[in-house]
Amino acid sequence: MTTSKLDISRARYWIDRWDRQQEHYMPDREQRFEVIGDVLTELVGRMDPLIVDLGVGPGTLSDRLLTRMPAATIVGVDVDPLLLALAEMSLGSPRFRTVNIDLRERDWLDRLRLHRAPDAFVSTTALHWMNREPLRALIRTCAAVLAPGGLFINGDHFYEGATGSRLDALGRAMTARRAERVGTACSEDWEAWWAAVDRAPELADLVRLRDGGFADTVHDRPTVHDYIAFAYDAGLAEAGIVWQYGDDRVLVGIR
C-alpha cells in the first residue's frame, strides 16, 4: 500500500511528527515502549518471535521492537490506509508486513495468513477505540491462538470506572503534570497533526483513501478491570498491570 507521491524521507518526516504529537498525550511514551520490549525479552521463549501488532498505526512500536529483537517478525494490523502506508514505506521488509483490516471483523485473524502460532499480540494507544464486547471477542481470539506461554501486551490509557471517578481524574492530572514538566505539553496535538496531513500534497492520495477518516464509535468503554477479566475469561493464565504512570499503563496477559 504505497503512493508514488510519497518517498521514504517524507514518510519518516510524518512518522517523527506523529511521535511528537503522541508525546503531547503520553510524555513517557518511550518508556512505555521500553517496558513492552522488556516484557517480550523476559518472557518470549525464542529468539525469532512472531509478533502481531494490533492497531499498528505508522509502525512506531514495531520499529522499536524490530530494532531490539533482530530476529523477530512482525505483522501489523490497522484499518487506516494512510497510517499503514507510512509504516510500510518506513519498515517494509521480509521481517515486517501490514494487513488492512478492522479488528471488529469476525475473520480478521484468518486474513493475517500467519505461518505459525504467534508468540505475542502487542498494541499501544489503539484498542481504546473498541467497545467492551468487541474487545472481549478480540482478546478471546488472541488467547486461543497464542503459542504456549504466549503474551497479550497492551499499552494504553486505561480507566478505573464510570465518568466522574476520582482515580481517573487523578490519573489524567498526573499525566498532564508530567507533560508540563518534561515539555511535551506544548507539542502538536492530534487535531493539528491530521490537519497538516490533510494539506500535504504527497499524502493527498492516501487522504482520499481514508474517505474522511474514522468516526469515534466508543459508547461502552472498557475499564482496566474489564481488560483483566476478559483476559482470564479467554483462558489466559495470568493478567495484570506491570507499569503505570498516571492513566498510562502496560497490561500483560500470559497464556
Side-chain angles (χ1 to χ4, degrees), residues 107-231:
D107 66 342
W108 69 266
L109 183 67
D110 293 337
R111 290 170 60 184
L112 302 190
R113 301 186 183 279
L114 303 178
H115 66 279
R116 63 175 175 86
D119 301 288
F121 289 93
V122 301
S123 187
T124 183
T125 324
L127 300 185
H128 59 260
W129 56 265
M130 298 187 79
N131 288 304
R132 291 179 76 254
E133 289 310 312
L135 177 70
R136 186 199 301 268
L138 176 79
I139 294 176
R140 185 184 302 120
T141 298
C142 293
V145 300
L146 277 170
L151 304 170
F152 177 88
I153 310 172
N154 185 28
D156 211 331
H157 298 288
F158 288 100
Y159 301 99
E160 292 288 336
T163 302
S165 163
R166 287 177 292 178
L167 284 175
D168 281 345
L170 176 62
R172 289 191 294 270
M174 290 177 65
T175 298
R177 287 179 181 272
R178 174 72 174 157
E180 290 285 350
R181 284 196 298 273
V182 302
T184 62
C186 299
S187 301
E188 180 178 50
D189 65 12
W190 174 267
E191 289 78 12
W193 190 87
W194 281 108
V197 163
D198 287 342
R199 297 190 299 267
E202 71 271 23
L203 298 177
D205 292 341
L206 294 168
V207 168
R208 281 190 288 273
L209 281 178
R210 296 186 83 242
D211 192 25
F214 304 92
D216 184 358
T217 58
V218 178
H219 56 80
D220 186 18
R221 185 178 69 186
T223 69
V224 64
H225 310 291
D226 289 326
Y227 271 86
I228 294 172
F230 294 165

